[in-house]
Amino acid sequence: MGDLLAGPADVAAGLAVHGADAVDDRSARAALVARDVPARLAAEDPTLWGPGAEAAARGRLGWVHTHCRSRDLLPQLAELTAELGDLDHVVLAGSADVTLAAEVIAGCLGRPLTVLDSADPGPVRAAVADRPARTVLVLAGRSGLDPTADAHLRAYRRAWRDAGPEADRHVVVVTPAGSELAALADELGAVVIPADPHAVGPWSALTAFGLVPAALAGAPVVELLDEAAALADALDRDRDNPGLALGAALGAAAAGGRSTVALTPDGTGLDGLRHWVGALLAAATGGRVLPIAAESPDAPGAGGPGVLTVGIGGALGPAVTPGVAADVAVNGPLGAQFLAWAHAAAIAAAALRVDPFAEPVRSAAAGPADDPPSSVDGTIEVYAPAGAPTDLTGALWWLVDGLGPDEHLAVTAHLDRRADAAVAGLRPLLARSAGRPVTFGWGPRHPSHHDGRARHLQITGVVTDDLAVPGRPYTFGELQAAQAADDRRALAGRERPVLRLHLTERAAGVAQLLDTAGRTRT
């Protein structure tokens, strides 16, 4: 990246984008400027992506100026933080689309935040047992509670009842005004902080969804808003506009055949930001851009034909320089990064002429029930799809070798992402053998624009110490298993191959799976 940093850059408010010119030779940027895209986006023009996207865009552009409106939250946040000062264990519960930004903020800024976004009983048991009398539970959702967050709330209310304190003081709800969740909060007597209804999913990073949990965890959210505000004045310009430069490069790369974007940490901080950026690009580009959160720029699948490698890091300076190579480098403070990437994603969508706010197809979970395992190999049960070999090694390589030129492999683990974290090592191992893009994520999986062009590997695991969901006729483990089954059936409904590997002993099964994927094939 040394040569990259020596070249021209688009810089504003401490945020720098290097390498964009080499990707698009300014032709894509010129075309966007000719359409007045930067100024129209800054003005929240819903016609920017064409007539078919206009209706959705009218209700989804709140993120453009939410860094301004979110300042109205600051007095309430300061009061709430002071009032709950003795509750030093902050737990955030909700689906990943509303918890990811807060998790990234806390992680990048080194603040303790426990995130519960799955039904795996391991992390739930650990979180509920950790200082329940000093826990504040933040429930986040766009409408009502999904079954997983409902289960989390029930587990905590049982713990608080046993420990003594009243639930109302320990629950903070973040949701748009008038939602089902807001009504539930009223029933609980919980504090409700309204979320912007016009900024959803990854676009909502600088709304209450991202800021409230992070602030309660001690993150300096005022600084985030200041950093975004400092950059905002540059984002309607035709020159020296990092959002325009980055969006033009992403659009030009995808249009020119580099549709896989490998997002890599550059060693200067903000390592977790690439996961949020990946979610944003996946949502905004209608399947035209496939983001991969790569472990490093030299990881398998992070470079090569068809891949644009983007290094992401904190602000640079004389004593802070990245030591990695990338096609494009994006460096700057976290608040500015959130706003720059949101503009870049919307601009890339304009360049590609896709609707950035279109919802992915949500297939009904209406497939057949699972058959018995096709084989058992050590601690792994193999559930091979029709036409695949039935043994572990054969089924795995059948899935990989069957990837078409426009397909990728999507790996989803319905496991404990802390205790079973090693399973993420599958991504680079499979990418090395596949020669095609490989993504990795934790279940429950959310529908994606890319589902129809993927072959899927699902990993589930035995639950040896389950946890009852109070007031419900099922356990956390059963809820997790049902979600994984729904996922398989939905993908089968789209006629996508799904190989399920079930670990009958988790630690040993992960080790066995990594060993199998890492073997040299002859």
Side-chain angles (χ1 to χ4, degrees), residues 261-347:
V261 176
L263 303 162
T264 71
D266 72 2
T268 64
L270 307 187
D271 286 4
L273 180 60
R274 68 190 190 279
H275 298 289
W276 174 84
V277 173
L280 175 70
L281 294 181
T285 57
R288 293 289 301 278
V289 172
L290 175 67
I292 295 175
E295 300 77 13
S296 66
D298 58 357
V307 179
L308 179 73
T309 307
V310 180
I312 301 175
L316 300 180
V320 183
T321 57
V324 300
D327 298 312
V328 176
V330 186
N331 290 88
L334 183 57
Q337 290 265 12
F338 280 129
L339 191 58
W341 277 104
H343 274 254
I347 288 170

Side-chain angles (χ1 to χ4, degrees), residues 88-326:
D88 55 3
H89 182 209
V90 183
V91 177
L92 172 60
S95 60
D97 63 328
V98 293
T99 62
L100 180 57
E103 183 176 17
V104 166
I105 293 170
C108 287
L109 300 181
R111 306 295 178 173
L113 176 66
T114 299
V115 178
L116 295 177
D117 58 5
S118 84
D120 192 279
V124 176
R125 184 186 302 277
V128 172
D130 184 8
R131 298 164 288 165
R134 291 162 53 189
T135 294
V136 56
L137 175 66
V138 182
L139 295 174
R142 289 170 53 186
S143 53
L145 281 184
D146 63 26
T148 305
D150 170 75
H152 295 148
L153 175 61
R154 290 172 176 274
Y156 266 103
R157 296 192 78 189
R158 168 71 60 82
W160 289 324
R161 186 194 67 188
D162 294 342
E166 294 297 325
D168 57 355
R169 182 172 179 268
H170 289 257
V171 179
V172 174
V173 172
V174 180
T175 190
S179 70
E180 293 179 18
L181 184 52
L184 174 62
D186 289 341
E187 294 177 14
L188 294 173
V191 173
V192 181
I193 299 184
D196 188 340
H198 303 301
V200 302
W203 306 94
S204 63
L206 294 177
T207 72
F209 283 128
L211 299 178
V212 171
L216 291 174
V221 297
V222 177
E223 292 182 15
L224 294 177
L225 297 178
D226 288 345
E227 291 161 359
L231 177 67
D233 289 341
L235 295 176
D236 65 350
R237 300 195 303 230
D238 295 343
R239 300 181 63 183
D240 300 320
N241 179 340
L244 172 61
L246 182 55
L250 292 168
R258 299 168 78 183
S259 57
T260 298
V261 176
L263 303 162
T264 71
D266 72 2
T268 64
L270 307 187
D271 286 4
L273 180 60
R274 68 190 190 279
H275 298 289
W276 174 84
V277 173
L280 175 70
L281 294 181
T285 57
R288 293 289 301 278
V289 172
L290 175 67
I292 295 175
E295 300 77 13
S296 66
D298 58 357
V307 179
L308 179 73
T309 307
V310 180
I312 301 175
L316 300 180
V320 183
T321 57
V324 300

